[in-house]
Amino acid sequence: HSLNQSLAELSDINVSFEFFPPSTPEMEELLWNSIRRLEPLNPKFVSVTYGANSGVRDRTHSVIERIQKETELVAAPHLTLVDASDEELVELAKHYWNSGIKDIVALRGDLPDGSPKPTRFANDLVRLLRSVADFDISVAAYPEVHPDAKNAQADLINLKKKIDAGANRAITQFFFDVESYLRFRDRCVAAGIDVEIVPGILPVTNFKQTKRFADMTNVAIPNWLHKQFEGLEDDPATRKLVGANVAIDMVKVLAREGVKDFHFYTLNRAELTYAICHTLGVRPK
Ligand code: FAD
């Protein structure tokens, strides 16, 4: 009862929503229905991913442009540096700034299999963007450690470098072990990282796909989560309710721990994200 009461009193929660560029007309319709559904929740920004090495930066741009043109939302493209030269990135950054795009999610991006060891990292991209204009820059953080990192401490130092280069906030990889996020946040504070470590919330509807993502990204799937989805392989309707419940439980704990900013990996679906936001007291304007 007291938790619900304190949640009802929350007033300064900020949310942001992440989408990916659709590849078919059906997916485009799904995306736009979701954007329209979530727009009244007045997110701080919405971001659109870019598939590093996919060669289709255009698809990200066209979604961003349409969001700018047809909605009141602040649109933030994701930008990766692995597949572009510094010169290309400077040009792109100038183009973004001149077309009113002031928010960017700055990433290294994943390297194609068999690539040589990289020499440029996301902190280089942050520095480059800062040299072009006064962007609002988000970077990635990994509570359970990035798969390529030498160790947790090296990964934390890398995050510190990105913030020192001028990033405004960190958005975390998705996670289910809330304790690992809270410990990571404490370690960030201890390391002198003074920006928000915004938890990236992945509402789960497709558990099989989530397990695959988690495997690739070094994210732990706790036993309790396996148990939650056990036996629901052919029952998408129940999975959806369970997924909403899991995420709502997580955000309640995070909100109680003082988290005020939440980023949602919507996977272009609005329903669960909308319900979770509602629980957090985020309501239409
Ligand atoms: P970095 O911060 O550069 O870190 C990459 C790795 O290198 C880490 O292990 C780090 O510890 C290590 N490292 C850093 N500096 C050094 C150094 N000097 N020497 C040795 N090792 C070093 N990918 C996409 O392709 N498109 C997207 O739109 C996208 N969006 C994302 C959004 C979020 C919120 C998150 C969390 C991830 C996203 N990704 C995306 C995935 C991301 O591109 C990959 O995780 C990528 O492998 C690392 O990117 P980064 O920006 O974290 O890299």
Side-chain angles (χ1 to χ4, degrees), residues 18 48-53 78-82 105-111 117-123 139-142 145-151 154-156 158-159 161-162 171-174 217 263 265:
E18 182 171 314
V48 180
T49 62
Y50 167 69
N53 301 299
H78 290 215
L79 181 57
T80 59
L81 102 166
V82 281
V105 182
L107 304 144
R108 185 193 68 179
D110 282 315
L111 301 130
K117 263 187 98 174
T119 54
R120 291 149 80 231
F121 295 92
N123 68 297
V139 292
Y142 302 87
V145 184
H146 185 269
D148 301 350
K150 211 163 74 189
N151 53 49
D155 212 26
L156 187 67
N158 178 50
L159 177 60
K161 274 199 202 163
K162 296 194 274 193
I171 300 173
T172 77
Q173 182 62 282
F174 69 97
T217 49
H263 183 78
Y265 296 108

Side-chain angles (χ1 to χ4, degrees), residues 76-117:
H78 290 215
L79 181 57
T80 59
L81 102 166
V82 281
D83 47 358
S85 67
D86 282 0
E87 293 71 31
E88 284 166 335
L89 291 167
V90 166
E91 278 317 301
L92 193 56
K94 284 183 181 158
H95 171 76
Y96 275 154
W97 187 262
N98 294 332
S99 46
I101 293 166
K102 316 225 142 138
D103 296 65
I104 290 183
V105 182
L107 304 144
R108 185 193 68 179
D110 282 315
L111 301 130
D113 286 342
S115 314
K117 263 187 98 174

